[in-house]
Each structure stands twice: as structure tokens, then as C-alpha cells.
Amino acid sequence: MATIAFNDSSDPPPSYDVSVSKDSIRSKQSVFSFIQSKHKASVLSLIHQIVSSPGFGVASVAPIIKSCAAALPAAKFSKLLQKRNIENHTALYWAIVNNRREALLEFVKFIPKFSRACSADLRLACMAANDHDSFMLLHLGDNDVDSKDRSLRRMLGCPLDDIQVREGDTLNVGSNIFFVHFVFRMFQKRLRTARKLEVEFVAQGRIWMLRFGMNMLTGDWFVELGISRDSSAVRPNAVLDIQANKLSPGSDIMQPLHLYMRTSHILLPGGVCKHYMTGPDTTPAVSWQLSDWPMHANTAYVDCNGTLTAELTMTIKPRYPRRG
């Protein structure tokens, strides 16, 4: 059988240089970045028009925003919407302030979770527009407090609380009034578990806080009212009525619990505030002391489903009453 001799002296196969130069890679990346930056600039220009132009057609808002979202990667579009790139505020801020409801509802579809900076900007927008509905819709309550309560409610299978704000008519020169209706679900169970229950709402261009809690030193229960760090100082007169669900002992009527707050103090913004000095005429919060009824199994102020209903009537007084 014939054999085939291996020719060791034959020339090796030609080699091919398949390496790509770093300059070539950088060039392609630069072109891609340039295209994206052009898209980003065009998208931002359209968003600016949507949130600022009075004559922008409502019917065209959703299609244009969807086109903008398609022009950029999802993460970049979400980041663009949450960046303060329009007059030092986010696009969502201007959608709230300028009452572009359709745009706001479309924008949030492309944001899985608000950044802390964006949430802070939206809280400012809700104060500027006095927009409690958007505040509740976007779940803009304090992140630290709200996230813990949200987690607890999820574990308990507890629905959202209901908070409704109604502005009142001017009672007299220099004062005004508003009303807040609260429905706290699973009130006792949440309070017993977390030792506090706190909510925020928007009224009169401020973010207000209502908190039920326990003094850990004395064991006394309390409810207190305050305002957020970015709110302006205010002199409030408030009455909190907690609805009764059972007859009072020896009575044939259900008597609500009236908690009165009559004060001449100025309520200061919460947290650290450099613009105000605390003193005898100022306070960071207004508190009402409660008895131990939040722990009572048969308290009159919680219904059979564990719901507590309350009504806050707030009258805003002049910060500096007239003299003489």
C-alpha cells in the first residue's frame, strides 16, 4: 500500500491578523455615544415642550412619550426623566406644577422606582402646586417611614390608608381652613407592632405629618402634628376628631374623641432648619396625650375591622398677630 510522506518542509498556512485596534474600538464607541447624545438631546427637547407648552395637544402626549422612550435604552430614559435638567428640576416636577396630568401618568410608566433625589423634587412640586392627589398617587410619603409601613402592611395584607384633603373657605381676614379625612386600616395591629403610625399629606402648600406613637420612656401614647423640612413655618389651630363606633358607657349616643390644640406657637419645619431659631414662641411639633385606649381590645374608637376614622380641622392663623 502506498504511503503518503509528510513534507515537513512545506510552507505553513498564511496567517490572518484578526486583531482590532483600540483606536478603531474607541472610534465606534464615540460614534455610538454621539448618536445616543443626539437622541438624548432630541428627546429632552420634546419632553421640555410637553411639560411647558400650554398649547401642547393632550392626544399626542402618550404617543410622543412612547417614541421618546423607544429612542433610548430603558435605563437611560428613566434616568433622563429623573434628572434635574429643566430649569433645575425634573420633567415630572414640571408635569405636576403645570398640571400636565397625562404626561405625568405616562412618565411614571417608564420609571421602575424613583431615586431619592427625584422623590425630593416631586415633594417640592406637590407643595408648589398644592397637589395632594399626585402626592398620594406617587406614594411620596417620607421614604424611611413609608417603606417600613408599606412592608408591614404587605405582611399583614392591609390595604392602603385613605387620606382626603378638602380646602375650606376663608373664615376671616388673615386666616384660612382645611379639613383632612383619615381612614387608618388595621390601626391597632400596626400600632402594636411598630409602636408608631405616621402619614403625610399636602394642604395649603405644605407637607404635613400626623403621627401616632409611644413615648418609650413613659409608655404613654400620643398623637402629634408637624410639617416637613421644606415646608414654611405656620401658626396652626387644630381639632382632631376620632370617630366612635360604640356607645359611650351610660349614654345612648356614640361620642367621638375631641382632641383640641389651642396654641400661639409657630410650628417649625421638621428636621434641621437653619432659618428659624427655636424659642418660647416656636415648636417642632404639636402633641396630644392619649390614654391607653390604643391598646384596649374593646376600644370604642376602632371598628370591628380594626379601622380608625378621624377628621382633622385645621385653621391657619397669622404668624404675627396684629397688635393694638
Side-chain angles (χ1 to χ4, degrees):
M1 182 174 64
T3 60
I4 299 175
F6 180 75
N7 185 1
D8 192 42
S9 64
S10 61
D11 295 332
S15 62
Y16 299 94
D17 185 5
V18 295
S19 63
V20 180
S21 69
K22 292 182 179 179
D23 289 340
S24 175
I25 294 175
R26 290 196 191 97
S27 177
K28 290 179 180 179
Q29 288 177 339
S30 297
V31 170
F32 182 72
S33 297
F34 175 75
I35 293 173
Q36 277 210 338
S37 66
K38 294 287 285 184
H39 285 169
K40 182 178 176 181
S42 299
V43 166
L44 185 58
S45 177
L46 283 171
I47 289 174
H48 188 289
Q49 292 180 49
I50 289 172
V51 299
S52 63
S53 300
F56 206 92
V58 173
S60 60
V61 168
I64 291 177
I65 292 176
K66 289 175 181 176
S67 298
C68 290
L72 294 173
K76 288 188 177 294
F77 186 60
S78 175
K79 186 176 180 180
L80 181 70
L81 292 175
Q82 297 185 78
K83 191 173 182 180
R84 298 192 180 202
N85 46 27
I86 303 177
E87 299 295 329
N88 201 34
H89 288 289
T90 62
L92 289 88
Y93 173 97
W94 292 112
I96 292 173
V97 170
N98 289 333
N99 195 28
R100 303 291 194 271
R101 190 72 167 184
E102 297 79 9
L104 178 65
L105 295 178
E106 283 298 319
F107 286 151
V108 298
K109 292 178 182 178
F110 300 97
I111 303 176
K113 183 179 180 181
F114 293 133
S115 66
R116 281 187 172 270
C118 182
S119 291
D121 200 42
L122 296 182
R123 286 167 64 90
L124 293 176
C126 290
M127 284 195 290
N130 197 34
D131 190 345
H132 173 73
D133 290 341
S134 291
F135 186 84
M136 298 302 294
L137 174 69
L138 301 178
H139 305 293
L140 294 174
D142 182 84
N143 280 329
D144 293 330
V145 173
D146 193 55
S147 62
K148 293 176 183 177
D149 185 61
R150 192 184 308 122
S151 177
L152 177 59
R153 282 191 289 101
R154 189 182 301 117
M155 291 300 298
L156 296 174
C158 177
L160 289 171
D161 296 323
D162 184 22
I163 306 173
Q164 298 178 16
V165 177
R166 179 169 60 88
E167 303 281 353
D169 297 328
T170 300
L171 297 180
N172 51 62
V173 177
S175 68
N176 46 60
I177 190 170
F178 65 85
F179 309 90
V180 189
H181 182 74
F182 301 96
V183 178
F184 297 108
R185 297 179 172 89
M186 295 190 181
F187 174 80
Q188 279 186 310
K189 192 173 289 187
R190 289 159 65 192
L191 197 61
R192 289 168 176 172
T193 302
R195 290 292 188 267
K196 67 178 179 180
L197 194 160
E198 179 177 332
V199 294
E200 289 184 312
F201 58 92
V202 176
Q204 296 286 320
R206 299 175 178 88
I207 294 177
W208 301 77
M209 172 274 298
L210 185 73
R211 178 194 296 124
F212 290 86
M214 173 188 280
N215 185 318
M216 301 308 291
L217 295 177
T218 65
D220 295 327
W221 290 97
F222 65 87
V223 57
E224 66 179 2
L225 181 74
I227 51 177
S228 71
R229 181 178 56 189
D230 295 309
S231 297
S232 58
V234 63
R235 189 187 298 271
N237 264 4
V239 178
L240 183 67
D241 289 324
I242 299 178
Q243 176 180 300
N245 297 280
K246 298 177 183 177
L247 296 176
S248 302
S251 174
D252 58 353
I253 61 172
M254 289 187 288
Q255 187 66 42
L257 178 62
H258 297 287
L259 302 175
Y260 295 95
M261 190 274 288
R262 300 277 189 264
T263 181
S264 59
H265 286 75
I266 294 175
L267 187 60
L268 298 182
V272 178
C273 184
K274 298 179 180 178
H275 304 291
Y276 300 97
M277 296 294 290
T278 57
D281 195 36
T282 62
T283 181
V286 180
S287 297
W288 294 270
Q289 292 298 316
L290 304 174
S291 63
D292 200 47
W293 65 260
M295 295 292 100
H296 295 175
N298 296 314
T299 177
Y301 306 116
V302 176
D303 69 13
C304 59
N305 296 313
T307 300
L308 181 140
T309 302
E311 184 90 13
L312 178 70
T313 302
M314 175 70 72
T315 303
I316 306 300
K317 295 294 185 180
R319 282 180 53 190
Y320 302 103
R322 294 179 180 177
R323 299 181 182 275

